[in-house]
Every structure is written in C-alpha cells, then in structure tokens.
Amino acid sequence: MLWRPGKATARVRSADRLPPGQRLVKGWPVLHEGEIPTFDPLSWRFRVWGAVEAPVEWTWAELQSLPRVETVQDFHCVTTWSTYDNRWGGVAVSEVLGRARPLPTASHVLVHCFDGTGYTTNLPLSDFDRPANLFALTHGAAPLTPEHGGPLRLVVHHLYAWKSAKWVCGVEVLPGDVRGYWEERGYHNRADPWLEERYSYQE
Ligand SMILES: Nc1nc2c(c(=O)[nH]1)N[C@H]1C(S)=C(S)[C@@H](COP(=O)(O)O)O[C@H]1N2
Ligand SMILES: [Mo]
C-alpha cells in the first residue's frame, strides 16, 4: 500500500495547507519532554493490550517483519511550527489493529512510550484507526533517529504533533477516554490543528 497525500496537497496554495496560527519552518525541530531514551533491541517489546480479542506482544524482530507502508505528510506542532512533506515508512496502525482486533466495547486508545517521563497520548479509535496513520520506522530513506523518536514513533498527521508519540512501546485499548500526558496538562483532548484546538479550556 502506498498512500501519498503529499502529491495531492503539493499543488494547493500554501494558505490552504498551513493551519491557522502556524508557520512553515526549514529543517525539522526536535521537541520532547525529558531525555532521549536508550533503545535495547533485545528487551524492547511492542504491546497492544486492554479491550482487544488478541493481545499483542512483539519483539523488535517481529515488529520489523510486519508489512510496511509509506506516506508523505505535513506535521504541525502546537508551538506553531509546521513542516511539509515528511516521508514516513513503517507499519500501518490498521495493520496492528487488524491483528489485535479491538472488542466492540473499545472506543479509545492510550499510546505508551518507553521514555523516562512515561509520556502517553490518547486518541478516540476514530482518529487512531485511519488509513494514513502509521508507526514510523523511517523518515526520508533513513531509520528514524533517536531524537525524533527512533526506533518507532506514532504518526497522526491530522492532529497536533504531540499526538505523534515518540519511542512508542505499546497501545492500551480502552472502553472509554483517559487523558494523556499533555492532555492532562492543559492541552486540548482532540487537537485538530485546522480548528486550532490547542488548549483544554477550549473544550
Ligand atoms: N514520547 C514523547 N513523544 C512526543 C513528545 C514527547 O515529549 N515525548 N513530544 C511531542 C511533541 S509536542 C512534538 S511537537 C513532537 C515532536 O517530534 P520531533 O521532535 O520529531 O519533531 O513529538 C511529540 N511526541
Ligand atoms: Mo509539539
């Protein structure tokens, strides 16, 4: 599967492409809480648990052997910088959910990371299970670097970038909504950049 919204959006005027209050930056800023964690390929596991029929626990080798997709997408951080045409490669969220099979009672996910802050972010399944979303292993042609969330990060380009969790190690599937790290600290629960859903007081 090859999904390339970048090709279609490249022709639209920049004003239609840049969400309100954002500015296009050169290069790719690095932004996160805490320290860049050390990845250990032997002990690392990717888990999907909670309201699923078939809980998942994959080793690094197993995760890497899953079918890959490639996408080109823009990226919008709530601190107002945006980047265009990020070429991501990795495992589609739909591929992972297809194996774990959320129960009919499942409505939301909480994405977990292996960094020291215990960073999490929450999404309704309707925002998480979209064809464009992936667990990225590569950016450009190269493996995702540690400062950008390597070896594995979530990419949810239609929401502010704090939903695109770096150093991902698991997905908790839930029968209700549980706010994540920034969502508990004053940031918007949904985070749609086109609606400027930046802060929780707007909810
Ligand atoms: N684990 C983790 N993921 C995270 C963050 C974080 O602090 N910890 N910051 C988020 C925010 S606010 C942004 S803008 C993007 C930045 O990704 P980048 O550093 O690759 O540009 O990562 C998101 N994912
Ligand atoms: Mo951000």
Side-chain angles (χ1 to χ4, degrees):
M1 183 178 123
L2 199 68
W3 194 85
R4 289 187 171 279
K7 287 232 162 119
T9 54
R11 286 187 299 274
V12 305
R13 280 174 299 123
S14 153
D16 298 332
R17 193 170 176 185
L18 200 59
Q22 295 293 114
R23 70 203 152 84
L24 179 63
V25 294
K26 287 214 172 79
W28 186 10
V30 171
L31 199 61
H32 54 254
E33 295 282 282
E35 307 286 314
I36 297 170
T38 307
F39 166 63
D40 174 8
L42 291 182
S43 63
W44 183 90
R45 295 289 181 277
F46 181 89
R47 294 189 174 87
V48 185
W49 74 96
V52 291
E53 269 177 52
V56 155
E57 183 171 334
W58 290 320
T59 63
W60 174 234
E62 287 167 335
L63 187 282
Q64 281 182 297
S65 70
L66 294 173
R68 305 277 182 106
V69 293
E70 195 173 89
T71 79
V72 178
Q73 303 178 348
D74 300 345
F75 199 57
H76 310 295
C77 171
V78 71
T79 63
T80 74
W81 56 264
S82 292
T83 62
Y84 286 170
D85 290 328
N86 294 280
R87 182 153 64 92
W88 304 103
V91 179
V93 166
S94 58
E95 180 77 44
V96 172
L97 288 180
R99 288 159 195 256
R101 302 198 301 276
L103 294 169
T105 51
S107 62
H108 290 76
V109 297
L110 192 62
V111 179
H112 292 261
C113 307
F114 66 90
D115 58 14
T117 64
Y119 190 90
T120 54
T121 191
N122 59 310
L123 298 142
L125 271 178
S126 55
D127 278 321
F128 184 60
D129 190 11
R130 292 201 178 193
N133 295 350
L134 77 163
F135 293 99
L137 290 154
T138 61
H139 182 270
L144 195 59
T145 56
E147 71 263 28
H148 287 299
L152 187 75
R153 83 175 297 165
L154 180 63
V155 177
V156 177
H157 81 123
H158 72 285
L159 299 175
Y160 282 125
W162 84 76
K163 299 283 186 182
S164 293
K166 294 155 76 157
W167 313 298
V168 166
C169 64
V171 179
E172 185 177 0
V173 181
L174 293 160
D177 200 8
V178 174
R179 294 178 85 100
Y181 184 92
W182 282 123
E183 294 83 0
E184 271 189 329
R185 288 168 175 77
Y187 285 87
H188 200 283
N189 205 36
R190 172 91 202 295
D192 184 336
W194 297 98
L195 302 175
E196 279 212 82
E197 292 175 337
R198 297 179 190 273
Y199 307 109
S200 50
Y201 66 75
Q202 299 170 276
E203 289 169 20

